[in-house]
Amino acid sequence: MTLSYFNPLVTTTADLRRMLDSQQITSVQIVEQYLEQIDHYEPVLNALASIAPRDSLRRIAESLDDERRGGRVRSPLHGIPIVLKDAFITASDLGMPTCAGAAVFAGAKASKNGAIVQRLVDAGLIILAKGVCGHEDRGDDAGVVCIWWSDDLTIYVGPIKRNEKILGHSAPGGSSSGPAVAVAAGFSPLAMGTETIGSIVTPSVRAALYAFKPTHGLQEVAGMYRMTDFFDVPGPMGKCTADIISLSSLLLGRPFDNPDVGKWEGLAVASLDPKVWQLAAAMCDQIDDTEVQMINEYKAAMLRIEQLGCTVKYPVDILDLSELNIDGKDAIMPIAFWDFKHIGIPTFIEGFSDASVASLEEIVRFNEQNKSLAMPEPFTKQDQLLRALNTAGTSEEIAQLKRRLRKTGKSIINRVLDAENVNCIAAPADSAICIYTAAAGYPHITIPLGKLNYNRRPFGICVMARENDEAVLLRFMAAYESMTAPRPVPSIVF
Protein backbone atom coordinates (compact mmCIF):
# COMPACT_ATOMS: atom_id res chain seq x y z
CA MET A 1 0.00 0.00 0.00
CA THR A 2 1.30 3.45 -0.91
CA LEU A 3 0.67 6.13 1.70
CA SER A 4 -0.25 9.65 0.63
CA TYR A 5 -0.41 11.75 3.77
CA PHE A 6 2.09 14.16 2.17
CA ASN A 7 4.88 14.25 -0.40
CA PRO A 8 8.07 13.56 1.57
CA LEU A 9 10.29 14.95 -1.19
CA VAL A 10 9.00 18.50 -0.80
CA THR A 11 7.24 18.65 2.57
CA THR A 12 9.07 20.73 5.16
CA THR A 13 8.97 20.72 8.92
CA ALA A 14 6.98 23.95 8.72
CA ASP A 15 4.38 22.14 6.59
CA LEU A 16 4.19 19.26 9.04
CA ARG A 17 3.80 21.63 11.97
CA ARG A 18 0.81 23.29 10.31
CA MET A 19 -0.74 19.89 9.63
CA LEU A 20 -0.17 18.74 13.20
CA ASP A 21 -1.53 21.98 14.68
CA SER A 22 -4.69 21.71 12.56
CA GLN A 23 -5.08 18.00 13.36
CA GLN A 24 -4.78 16.99 9.70
CA ILE A 25 -2.14 14.43 10.55
CA THR A 26 -0.56 12.64 13.50
CA SER A 27 3.07 11.97 14.29
CA VAL A 28 2.38 8.27 13.83
CA GLN A 29 1.25 8.94 10.27
CA ILE A 30 4.28 11.15 9.64
CA VAL A 31 6.61 8.37 10.79
CA GLU A 32 4.79 5.80 8.66
CA GLN A 33 5.13 8.00 5.56
CA TYR A 34 8.88 8.44 6.04
CA LEU A 35 9.41 4.75 6.75
CA GLU A 36 7.62 3.88 3.51
CA GLN A 37 9.89 6.30 1.63
CA ILE A 38 12.93 4.68 3.26
CA ASP A 39 11.71 1.21 2.31
CA HIS A 40 11.35 2.24 -1.33
CA TYR A 41 14.64 4.06 -1.87
CA GLU A 42 17.17 3.26 0.84
CA PRO A 43 18.17 -0.03 -0.89
CA VAL A 44 19.34 2.13 -3.80
CA LEU A 45 20.79 5.10 -1.95
CA ASN A 46 22.47 3.47 1.07
CA ALA A 47 22.20 6.77 2.94
CA LEU A 48 21.43 5.31 6.36
CA ALA A 49 23.72 3.53 8.79
CA SER A 50 20.79 2.34 10.93
CA ILE A 51 17.07 2.83 11.41
CA ALA A 52 15.37 2.84 14.79
CA PRO A 53 13.19 -0.22 15.48
CA ARG A 54 9.79 0.40 13.95
CA ASP A 55 7.73 -0.68 16.91
CA SER A 56 9.74 1.68 19.07
CA LEU A 57 9.26 4.55 16.60
CA ARG A 58 5.52 4.00 16.57
CA ARG A 59 5.35 3.92 20.37
CA ILE A 60 7.32 7.15 20.65
CA ALA A 61 5.14 8.82 18.01
CA GLU A 62 1.95 7.61 19.72
CA SER A 63 3.15 8.97 23.05
CA LEU A 64 3.92 12.35 21.50
CA ASP A 65 0.50 12.37 19.83
CA ASP A 66 -1.09 11.67 23.21
CA GLU A 67 0.85 14.56 24.73
CA ARG A 68 -0.34 16.89 21.97
CA ARG A 69 -3.96 15.82 22.43
CA GLY A 70 -3.55 16.45 26.14
CA GLY A 71 -2.38 20.01 25.53
CA ARG A 72 1.34 19.44 26.05
CA VAL A 73 3.52 20.51 23.14
CA ARG A 74 7.17 20.39 24.13
CA SER A 75 8.46 22.65 21.36
CA PRO A 76 7.60 23.76 17.81
CA LEU A 77 9.30 20.54 16.66
CA HIS A 78 7.15 18.25 18.83
CA GLY A 79 6.47 15.01 16.98
CA ILE A 80 8.80 15.75 14.04
CA PRO A 81 11.25 13.05 12.84
CA ILE A 82 14.94 13.77 12.33
CA VAL A 83 17.94 11.88 10.94
CA LEU A 84 21.26 12.21 12.74
CA LYS A 85 24.72 11.76 11.33
CA ASP A 86 26.21 8.55 12.72
CA ALA A 87 28.37 10.66 15.01
CA PHE A 88 25.78 11.45 17.68
CA ILE A 89 25.67 8.89 20.48
CA THR A 90 22.18 7.59 21.20
CA ALA A 91 21.24 5.49 24.20
CA SER A 92 21.20 1.81 23.32
CA ASP A 93 17.51 1.56 24.18
CA LEU A 94 16.76 3.70 21.10
CA GLY A 95 17.95 0.71 19.07
CA MET A 96 20.64 2.34 16.92
CA PRO A 97 24.39 1.85 17.33
CA THR A 98 26.73 4.82 17.01
CA CYS A 99 29.76 3.83 14.98
CA ALA A 100 30.98 7.02 13.26
CA GLY A 101 31.52 4.72 10.30
CA ALA A 102 33.95 2.45 12.18
CA ALA A 103 33.40 -1.28 12.63
CA VAL A 104 35.14 -1.26 16.00
CA PHE A 105 32.21 0.60 17.58
CA ALA A 106 29.45 -1.62 16.18
CA GLY A 107 28.92 -3.35 19.52
CA ALA A 108 29.49 -0.36 21.79
CA LYS A 109 26.74 0.36 24.32
CA ALA A 110 25.55 3.72 25.60
CA SER A 111 23.50 4.12 28.75
CA LYS A 112 22.43 7.65 27.84
CA ASN A 113 22.07 9.99 24.91
CA GLY A 114 24.67 12.55 24.02
CA ALA A 115 23.89 16.15 25.01
CA ILE A 116 22.51 17.25 21.66
CA VAL A 117 20.48 14.08 21.20
CA GLN A 118 18.93 14.53 24.62
CA ARG A 119 18.06 18.14 23.81
CA LEU A 120 16.27 16.93 20.67
CA VAL A 121 14.43 14.17 22.52
CA ASP A 122 13.37 16.53 25.31
CA ALA A 123 11.94 18.87 22.65
CA GLY A 124 9.80 16.05 21.28
CA LEU A 125 11.73 15.19 18.13
CA ILE A 126 11.72 11.57 16.95
CA ILE A 127 15.17 10.11 16.20
CA LEU A 128 14.27 8.18 13.07
CA ALA A 129 17.64 6.97 11.81
CA LYS A 130 21.39 7.54 11.59
CA GLY A 131 22.90 8.77 8.32
CA VAL A 132 26.12 7.21 7.06
CA CYS A 133 29.34 9.15 7.17
CA GLY A 134 30.61 9.81 3.65
CA HIS A 135 34.23 8.83 3.15
CA GLU A 136 36.37 11.93 2.89
CA ASP A 137 39.28 10.43 0.97
CA ARG A 138 38.86 8.64 -2.32
CA GLY A 139 42.17 6.91 -1.77
CA ASP A 140 42.62 3.56 -0.07
CA ASP A 141 42.95 4.78 3.50
CA ALA A 142 39.94 3.69 5.57
CA GLY A 143 40.61 5.76 8.65
CA VAL A 144 38.56 5.26 11.77
CA VAL A 145 35.47 7.20 10.83
CA CYS A 146 33.54 8.16 7.75
CA ILE A 147 34.54 5.05 5.88
CA TRP A 148 31.53 4.87 3.61
CA TRP A 149 30.21 7.09 0.89
CA SER A 150 26.50 7.59 0.77
CA ASP A 151 26.98 5.21 -1.22
CA ASP A 152 26.48 3.73 -4.67
CA LEU A 153 25.02 6.88 -6.21
CA THR A 154 24.30 10.49 -5.46
CA ILE A 155 20.76 11.70 -5.07
CA TYR A 156 20.67 14.06 -8.07
CA VAL A 157 23.37 12.65 -10.34
CA GLY A 158 23.30 8.88 -10.19
CA PRO A 159 26.29 6.52 -9.89
CA ILE A 160 29.55 8.04 -8.72
CA LYS A 161 31.92 8.36 -11.64
CA ARG A 162 34.73 5.81 -11.75
CA ASN A 163 37.94 7.20 -10.24
CA GLU A 164 36.08 10.36 -9.28
CA LYS A 165 38.06 13.04 -7.48
CA ILE A 166 37.22 13.75 -3.85
CA LEU A 167 34.83 16.60 -4.72
CA GLY A 168 34.19 15.76 -8.35
CA HIS A 169 30.82 16.56 -9.85
CA SER A 170 29.37 13.10 -9.19
CA ALA A 171 30.54 12.91 -5.56
CA PRO A 172 28.01 13.59 -2.77
CA GLY A 173 30.52 15.52 -0.66
CA GLY A 174 31.94 15.18 2.83
CA SER A 175 31.22 13.22 5.96
CA SER A 176 27.66 14.51 6.47
CA SER A 177 26.56 13.19 3.09
CA GLY A 178 24.38 10.46 4.58
CA PRO A 179 22.01 12.77 6.48
CA ALA A 180 22.05 15.27 3.61
CA VAL A 181 21.00 12.62 1.11
CA ALA A 182 18.38 11.38 3.57
CA VAL A 183 16.66 14.78 3.71
CA ALA A 184 16.82 15.29 -0.05
CA ALA A 185 15.43 11.79 -0.63
CA GLY A 186 12.46 12.43 1.62
CA PHE A 187 13.52 10.14 4.47
CA SER A 188 13.12 12.97 6.98
CA PRO A 189 12.41 16.70 6.91
CA LEU A 190 15.46 17.53 9.03
CA ALA A 191 18.95 16.26 9.75
CA MET A 192 21.88 16.99 11.99
CA GLY A 193 25.40 16.89 10.58
CA THR A 194 28.80 17.91 11.85
CA GLU A 195 31.26 20.25 10.19
CA THR A 196 35.03 19.97 10.40
CA ILE A 197 36.07 21.73 7.20
CA GLY A 198 33.37 21.38 4.56
CA SER A 199 31.65 18.35 6.09
CA ILE A 200 28.25 20.07 6.08
CA VAL A 201 28.92 22.63 3.33
CA THR A 202 29.52 20.28 0.42
CA PRO A 203 26.93 17.56 1.18
CA SER A 204 24.18 20.10 1.84
CA VAL A 205 24.90 22.07 -1.32
CA ARG A 206 25.00 18.90 -3.42
CA ALA A 207 21.66 17.86 -1.97
CA ALA A 208 20.18 21.34 -2.66
CA LEU A 209 19.61 21.94 1.05
CA TYR A 210 19.78 24.89 3.39
CA ALA A 211 22.32 24.34 6.16
CA PHE A 212 23.91 26.14 9.06
CA LYS A 213 27.13 25.86 11.05
CA PRO A 214 26.91 28.02 14.21
CA THR A 215 29.84 29.65 15.97
CA HIS A 216 32.28 27.15 17.44
CA GLY A 217 31.75 26.44 21.13
CA LEU A 218 28.11 27.46 21.51
CA GLN A 219 26.75 23.92 21.85
CA GLU A 220 27.36 21.17 24.35
CA VAL A 221 29.02 18.41 22.33
CA ALA A 222 29.45 15.66 24.92
CA GLY A 223 28.46 12.38 23.32
CA MET A 224 29.29 13.48 19.77
CA TYR A 225 32.15 12.20 17.66
CA ARG A 226 34.49 15.04 16.75
CA MET A 227 37.51 14.61 14.55
CA THR A 228 38.85 17.72 16.27
CA ASP A 229 37.92 19.80 19.25
CA PHE A 230 39.20 22.93 17.51
CA PHE A 231 37.22 22.80 14.27
CA ASP A 232 34.17 20.56 14.69
CA VAL A 233 30.69 22.06 15.07
CA PRO A 234 27.27 20.34 14.79
CA GLY A 235 24.62 21.95 12.64
CA PRO A 236 21.21 21.43 10.98
CA MET A 237 20.26 20.71 7.37
CA GLY A 238 16.78 21.10 5.89
CA LYS A 239 14.63 22.02 2.90
CA CYS A 240 13.84 25.60 3.94
CA THR A 241 14.98 28.45 6.14
CA ALA A 242 12.05 28.13 8.53
CA ASP A 243 13.17 24.60 9.37
CA ILE A 244 16.75 25.70 9.95
CA ILE A 245 15.58 28.54 12.18
CA SER A 246 13.36 26.25 14.26
CA LEU A 247 16.10 23.72 14.88
CA SER A 248 18.79 26.38 15.40
CA SER A 249 16.63 28.13 18.00
CA LEU A 250 16.33 24.85 19.86
CA LEU A 251 20.03 24.01 19.60
CA LEU A 252 21.30 27.43 20.62
CA GLY A 253 18.56 28.31 23.09
CA ARG A 254 17.62 31.65 21.57
CA PRO A 255 14.94 32.75 19.08
CA PHE A 256 15.81 33.73 15.52
CA ASP A 257 12.32 34.36 14.12
CA ASN A 258 12.46 38.12 14.72
CA PRO A 259 10.61 40.70 12.56
CA ASP A 260 13.73 41.38 10.46
CA VAL A 261 13.97 37.80 9.19
CA GLY A 262 13.50 37.76 5.44
CA LYS A 263 14.31 41.44 4.93
CA TRP A 264 17.37 42.69 3.04
CA GLU A 265 17.43 46.09 4.73
CA GLY A 266 20.45 46.40 6.98
CA LEU A 267 22.26 43.47 5.39
CA ALA A 268 25.52 44.11 3.56
CA VAL A 269 27.61 41.41 1.90
CA ALA A 270 31.12 41.35 0.51
CA SER A 271 31.07 39.02 -2.48
CA LEU A 272 34.25 37.20 -3.44
CA ASP A 273 35.08 36.69 -7.12
CA PRO A 274 33.71 33.35 -8.38
CA LYS A 275 36.44 33.27 -11.04
CA VAL A 276 38.98 33.07 -8.22
CA TRP A 277 37.05 31.07 -5.64
CA GLN A 278 36.60 27.63 -7.17
CA LEU A 279 37.57 24.11 -6.24
CA ALA A 280 41.17 23.25 -7.05
CA ALA A 281 41.79 20.91 -9.98
CA ALA A 282 43.09 18.31 -7.54
CA MET A 283 39.64 18.27 -5.94
CA CYS A 284 37.34 18.58 -8.97
CA ASP A 285 37.67 18.70 -12.75
CA GLN A 286 35.65 21.38 -14.51
CA ILE A 287 33.84 19.71 -17.40
CA ASP A 288 31.96 21.21 -20.35
CA ASP A 289 30.49 24.52 -19.18
CA THR A 290 30.39 23.76 -15.45
CA GLU A 291 32.78 26.55 -14.50
CA VAL A 292 31.08 29.16 -16.68
CA GLN A 293 27.61 28.18 -15.49
CA MET A 294 28.48 28.40 -11.80
CA ILE A 295 30.21 31.76 -12.27
CA ASN A 296 27.31 33.24 -14.23
CA GLU A 297 24.60 32.03 -11.88
CA TYR A 298 26.53 33.20 -8.82
CA LYS A 299 26.99 36.68 -10.31
CA ALA A 300 23.31 36.81 -11.29
CA ALA A 301 22.32 35.92 -7.72
CA MET A 302 24.50 38.69 -6.28
CA LEU A 303 22.98 41.18 -8.73
CA ARG A 304 19.46 40.12 -7.79
CA ILE A 305 20.28 40.44 -4.09
CA GLU A 306 21.55 43.96 -4.68
CA GLN A 307 18.46 44.91 -6.65
CA LEU A 308 16.26 43.79 -3.77
CA GLY A 309 17.93 46.05 -1.24
CA CYS A 310 21.01 44.29 0.11
CA THR A 311 24.25 46.25 -0.05
CA VAL A 312 26.66 44.20 -2.19
CA LYS A 313 30.39 44.90 -2.55
CA TYR A 314 31.73 43.01 -5.57
CA PRO A 315 34.29 41.75 -6.27
CA VAL A 316 36.09 41.80 -2.95
CA ASP A 317 39.47 40.26 -2.20
CA ILE A 318 40.42 38.22 0.83
CA LEU A 319 43.92 37.16 1.85
CA ASP A 320 45.19 33.93 0.32
CA LEU A 321 44.72 30.72 2.28
CA SER A 322 48.48 30.51 2.69
CA GLU A 323 48.12 33.39 5.17
CA LEU A 324 46.64 30.87 7.58
CA ASN A 325 50.06 29.20 7.84
CA ILE A 326 51.82 29.72 11.15
CA ASP A 327 55.56 30.44 10.89
CA GLY A 328 55.34 29.46 7.25
CA LYS A 329 53.91 26.02 7.99
CA ASP A 330 50.46 24.46 7.81
CA ALA A 331 48.74 24.55 11.19
CA ILE A 332 45.48 22.82 10.28
CA MET A 333 46.64 19.23 9.93
CA PRO A 334 48.93 19.20 13.01
CA ILE A 335 45.99 20.45 15.08
CA ALA A 336 43.61 17.95 13.47
CA PHE A 337 45.85 14.93 14.06
CA TRP A 338 46.69 15.95 17.63
CA ASP A 339 43.06 16.62 18.52
CA PHE A 340 41.94 13.39 16.92
CA LYS A 341 44.30 11.32 19.05
CA HIS A 342 44.10 13.21 22.32
CA ILE A 343 40.56 14.63 22.36
CA GLY A 344 38.33 13.37 19.53
CA ILE A 345 38.70 9.64 20.04
CA PRO A 346 38.99 9.65 23.86
CA THR A 347 35.91 11.83 24.39
CA PHE A 348 33.91 9.81 21.87
CA ILE A 349 34.74 6.60 23.71
CA GLU A 350 33.82 8.25 27.03
CA GLY A 351 30.29 8.66 25.68
CA PHE A 352 29.78 4.89 25.80
CA SER A 353 29.09 2.85 28.90
CA ASP A 354 30.70 -0.17 27.26
CA ALA A 355 33.18 -0.14 24.34
CA SER A 356 35.69 -2.73 23.21
CA VAL A 357 38.48 -0.17 22.80
CA ALA A 358 39.82 2.59 25.01
CA SER A 359 42.29 4.42 22.78
CA LEU A 360 43.43 5.13 19.25
CA GLU A 361 46.17 2.52 19.67
CA GLU A 362 43.55 -0.14 20.33
CA ILE A 363 41.49 0.99 17.32
CA VAL A 364 44.53 0.60 15.05
CA ARG A 365 45.16 -2.85 16.47
CA PHE A 366 41.53 -3.88 15.96
CA ASN A 367 41.64 -2.75 12.34
CA GLU A 368 44.77 -4.78 11.67
CA GLN A 369 43.26 -7.86 13.27
CA ASN A 370 39.91 -7.48 11.46
CA LYS A 371 40.94 -6.17 8.04
CA SER A 372 38.06 -7.60 6.03
CA LEU A 373 35.56 -6.02 8.41
CA ALA A 374 37.30 -2.77 9.35
CA MET A 375 39.16 -2.01 6.11
CA PRO A 376 37.20 -3.54 3.23
CA GLU A 377 38.17 -2.99 -0.38
CA PRO A 378 39.07 -0.45 -1.62
CA PHE A 379 39.89 1.11 1.77
CA THR A 380 42.65 -1.27 2.79
CA LYS A 381 45.00 1.00 4.70
CA GLN A 382 44.94 3.14 7.82
CA ASP A 383 47.82 5.48 7.10
CA GLN A 384 45.95 8.50 8.42
CA LEU A 385 45.26 6.73 11.71
CA LEU A 386 48.91 5.81 11.99
CA ARG A 387 49.88 9.39 11.25
CA ALA A 388 47.57 10.58 14.02
CA LEU A 389 48.91 7.91 16.35
CA ASN A 390 52.44 9.17 15.79
CA THR A 391 51.57 12.86 15.88
CA ALA A 392 54.07 15.10 17.61
CA GLY A 393 53.66 18.12 19.84
CA THR A 394 52.93 18.73 23.49
CA SER A 395 49.59 19.99 24.71
CA GLU A 396 51.16 23.38 25.38
CA GLU A 397 52.59 23.58 21.86
CA ILE A 398 49.27 22.65 20.27
CA ALA A 399 47.38 25.09 22.49
CA GLN A 400 49.66 27.86 21.31
CA LEU A 401 49.21 26.80 17.70
CA LYS A 402 45.44 26.84 18.16
CA ARG A 403 45.49 30.33 19.66
CA ARG A 404 47.58 31.67 16.80
CA LEU A 405 45.49 30.01 14.09
CA ARG A 406 42.23 31.20 15.65
CA LYS A 407 43.56 34.74 15.91
CA THR A 408 44.81 34.66 12.32
CA GLY A 409 41.54 33.27 10.94
CA LYS A 410 39.49 35.91 12.73
CA SER A 411 41.82 38.66 11.58
CA ILE A 412 41.55 37.66 7.93
CA ILE A 413 37.74 37.64 7.98
CA ASN A 414 37.41 40.75 10.16
CA ARG A 415 39.73 42.65 7.84
CA VAL A 416 37.26 42.20 4.98
CA LEU A 417 34.17 42.89 7.08
CA ASP A 418 35.67 46.07 8.49
CA ALA A 419 37.25 47.38 5.29
CA GLU A 420 34.05 46.91 3.29
CA ASN A 421 31.69 47.87 6.12
CA VAL A 422 29.60 44.70 5.66
CA ASN A 423 28.22 42.10 8.03
CA CYS A 424 28.81 38.97 5.95
CA ILE A 425 30.97 37.53 3.16
CA ALA A 426 29.68 35.34 0.32
CA ALA A 427 31.48 32.98 -2.03
CA PRO A 428 30.66 29.95 -4.16
CA ALA A 429 30.26 26.90 -1.95
CA ASP A 430 32.36 25.04 -4.52
CA SER A 431 35.49 26.65 -3.10
CA ALA A 432 37.78 26.53 -0.08
CA ILE A 433 35.99 29.40 1.68
CA CYS A 434 34.92 27.22 4.62
CA ILE A 435 38.59 26.84 5.62
CA TYR A 436 38.50 30.44 6.86
CA THR A 437 35.44 29.88 9.06
CA ALA A 438 36.98 26.68 10.43
CA ALA A 439 40.16 28.52 11.39
CA ALA A 440 38.25 31.46 12.89
CA GLY A 441 35.50 29.39 14.55
CA TYR A 442 32.99 31.66 12.80
CA PRO A 443 29.49 30.66 11.64
CA HIS A 444 28.41 30.11 8.06
CA ILE A 445 25.37 29.07 6.06
CA THR A 446 24.92 27.27 2.76
CA ILE A 447 22.08 28.00 0.37
CA PRO A 448 21.12 26.30 -2.93
CA LEU A 449 21.69 28.17 -6.18
CA GLY A 450 21.27 25.96 -9.25
CA LYS A 451 21.89 22.63 -10.99
CA LEU A 452 24.68 21.94 -13.45
CA ASN A 453 23.60 21.45 -17.03
CA TYR A 454 26.33 18.83 -17.23
CA ASN A 455 24.83 16.30 -14.81
CA ARG A 456 22.10 17.99 -12.72
CA ARG A 457 24.39 18.25 -9.68
CA PRO A 458 23.22 21.08 -7.39
CA PHE A 459 25.59 23.87 -6.42
CA GLY A 460 25.22 26.80 -4.07
CA ILE A 461 26.59 29.67 -2.03
CA CYS A 462 28.38 29.81 1.32
CA VAL A 463 28.00 32.92 3.49
CA MET A 464 30.02 33.63 6.63
CA ALA A 465 29.84 36.20 9.43
CA ARG A 466 31.53 37.11 12.70
CA GLU A 467 31.27 34.92 15.77
CA ASN A 468 27.82 35.00 17.37
CA ASP A 469 26.31 36.70 14.31
CA GLU A 470 24.01 33.76 13.65
CA ALA A 471 21.00 36.07 13.38
CA VAL A 472 22.60 37.93 10.46
CA LEU A 473 23.19 34.73 8.55
CA LEU A 474 19.70 33.37 9.16
CA ARG A 475 18.22 36.70 8.04
CA PHE A 476 20.29 36.43 4.88
CA MET A 477 19.13 32.86 4.32
CA ALA A 478 15.46 33.78 4.74
CA ALA A 479 15.70 36.81 2.45
CA TYR A 480 17.53 34.75 -0.15
CA GLU A 481 14.94 31.97 -0.08
CA SER A 482 12.14 34.48 -0.57
CA MET A 483 13.67 35.70 -3.84
CA THR A 484 14.74 32.40 -5.37
CA ALA A 485 12.97 29.52 -7.08
CA PRO A 486 12.01 26.48 -5.01
CA ARG A 487 14.92 24.12 -4.40
CA PRO A 488 15.11 21.40 -7.04
CA VAL A 489 13.58 18.01 -6.29
CA PRO A 490 15.76 15.00 -7.14
CA SER A 491 14.68 12.98 -10.12
CA ILE A 492 17.40 10.41 -10.64
CA VAL A 493 15.66 7.58 -8.77
CA PHE A 494 12.21 9.00 -8.19
Side-chain angles (χ1 to χ4, degrees):
M1 182 181 71
T2 301
L3 300 176
S4 58
Y5 298 122
F6 57 90
N7 181 353
L9 282 177
V10 299
T11 299
T12 66
T13 296
D15 297 328
L16 294 175
R17 286 173 56 187
R18 285 189 289 270
M19 296 169 71
L20 285 166
D21 289 344
S22 60
Q23 300 181 6
Q24 297 177 55
I25 200 169
T26 65
S27 290
V28 170
Q29 291 170 327
I30 290 172
V31 166
E32 294 288 358
Q33 184 77 71
Y34 283 122
L35 288 175
E36 181 181 82
Q37 186 80 349
I38 290 169
D39 288 342
H40 284 173
Y41 300 112
E42 170 58 12
V44 178
L45 292 173
N46 296 311
L48 302 178
S50 60
I51 305 168
R54 298 178 183 227
D55 288 347
S56 175
L57 285 172
R58 293 184 182 100
R59 285 196 301 271
I60 292 170
E62 286 173 357
S63 177
L64 291 167
D65 283 335
D66 288 342
E67 288 184 14
R68 183 180 292 274
R69 282 189 286 266
R72 183 191 177 198
V73 177
R74 302 187 190 186
S75 78
L77 298 176
H78 183 107
I80 300 293
I82 189 170
V83 169
L84 308 179
K85 181 177 179 178
D86 187 25
F88 294 90
I89 292 177
T90 50
S92 295
D93 59 13
L94 288 183
M96 293 169 285
T98 307
C99 301
V104 68
F105 294 112
K109 305 296 183 184
S111 60
K112 63 180 182 179
N113 294 318
I116 287 177
V117 175
Q118 192 59 50
R119 180 179 284 264
L120 299 175
V121 170
D122 289 345
L125 282 97
I126 301 169
I127 313 301
L128 189 67
K130 299 277 188 75
V132 300
C133 298
H135 183 46
E136 296 178 315
D137 184 351
R138 293 298 282 173
D140 56 0
D141 193 332
V144 62
V145 297
C146 306
I147 293 176
W148 312 106
W149 277 104
S150 156
D151 186 50
D152 301 322
L153 53 77
T154 55
I155 186 67
Y156 286 84
V157 175
I160 298 172
K161 182 180 176 182
R162 183 178 177 83
N163 298 320
E164 181 65 282
K165 292 185 176 179
I166 182 172
L167 295 179
H169 292 305
S170 70
S175 62
S176 295
S177 60
V181 168
V183 174
F187 295 173
S188 170
L190 282 173
M192 282 293 296
T194 65
E195 169 91 1
T196 304
I197 304 176
S199 315
I200 289 177
V201 170
T202 306
S204 62
V205 164
R206 295 183 180 211
L209 300 178
Y210 292 86
F212 178 41
K213 184 203 88 169
T215 299
H216 181 274
L218 294 183
Q219 302 172 78
E220 173 57 57
V221 293
M224 183 191 92
Y225 167 76
R226 294 168 288 157
M227 178 179 176
T228 75
D229 176 62
F230 185 77
F231 298 116
D232 288 37
V233 178
M237 299 181 282
K239 296 186 178 76
C240 69
T241 304
D243 291 4
I244 299 300
I245 287 177
S246 293
L247 188 48
S248 298
S249 297
L250 172 63
L251 294 168
L252 302 183
R254 52 190 167 108
F256 292 106
D257 53 349
N258 60 68
D260 292 331
V261 168
K263 297 179 180 179
W264 287 115
E265 290 77 11
L267 290 176
V269 59
S271 175
L272 304 186
D273 190 344
K275 294 180 181 179
V276 176
W277 287 91
Q278 303 176 12
L279 290 173
M283 295 282 189
C284 177
D285 291 321
Q286 297 302 336
I287 303 169
D288 296 341
D289 68 342
T290 53
E291 178 181 355
V292 172
Q293 182 187 356
M294 286 191 284
I295 289 172
N296 289 343
E297 293 195 28
Y298 175 86
K299 291 169 68 174
M302 290 298 115
L303 178 60
R304 179 64 173 154
I305 287 169
E306 186 174 31
Q307 292 171 339
L308 291 174
C310 181
T311 298
V312 178
K313 305 290 184 70
Y314 172 86
V316 170
D317 293 328
I318 192 169
L319 290 177
D320 187 80
L321 285 167
S322 63
E323 297 296 325
L324 289 172
N325 291 344
I326 304 297
D327 296 331
K329 297 180 181 179
D330 171 56
I332 292 174
M333 293 313 297
I335 290 172
F337 282 120
W338 195 94
D339 269 11
F340 180 75
K341 176 182 179 180
H342 295 283
I343 301 177
I345 289 299
T347 56
F348 182 56
I349 293 172
E350 287 173 5
F352 296 107
S353 54
D354 182 20
S356 63
V357 291
S359 66
L360 179 56
E361 290 88 345
E362 293 183 15
I363 292 170
V364 169
R365 189 179 308 121
F366 174 92
N367 291 344
E368 286 295 333
Q369 294 172 349
N370 300 272
K371 289 185 176 181
S372 62
L373 176 66
M375 298 186 290
E377 294 285 350
F379 311 115
T380 57
K381 298 180 181 180
Q382 52 179 339
D383 291 349
Q384 298 302 313
L385 289 190
L386 293 172
R387 184 177 171 186
L389 188 61
N390 297 315
T391 189
T394 66
S395 59
E396 293 78 14
E397 290 170 340
I398 295 298
Q400 174 68 5
L401 193 61
K402 288 179 178 180
R403 285 191 292 269
R404 294 180 66 186
L405 180 58
R406 187 72 88 211
K407 181 179 179 180
T408 302
K410 290 181 177 181
S411 176
I412 290 173
I413 296 175
N414 291 348
R415 178 176 176 176
V416 175
L417 295 171
D418 293 339
E420 301 297 335
N421 193 27
V422 296
N423 44 27
C424 53
I425 302 170
D430 271 53
S431 72
I433 193 65
C434 59
I435 297 177
Y436 290 111
T437 58
Y442 281 4
H444 65 231
I445 57 170
T446 53
I447 48 183
L449 177 57
K451 288 199 302 181
L452 293 177
N453 299 326
Y454 163 65
N455 67 350
R456 303 181 302 277
R457 193 266 285 179
F459 57 95
I461 300 172
C462 183
V463 187
M464 57 186 174
R466 296 182 201 269
E467 60 186 331
N468 302 316
D469 255 358
E470 283 77 14
V472 166
L473 292 176
L474 293 172
R475 279 188 60 202
F476 190 102
M477 182 187 286
Y480 174 87
E481 185 183 8
S482 70
M483 74 164 212
T484 194
R487 57 176 293 278
V489 176
S491 59
I492 188 65
V493 294
F494 300 104

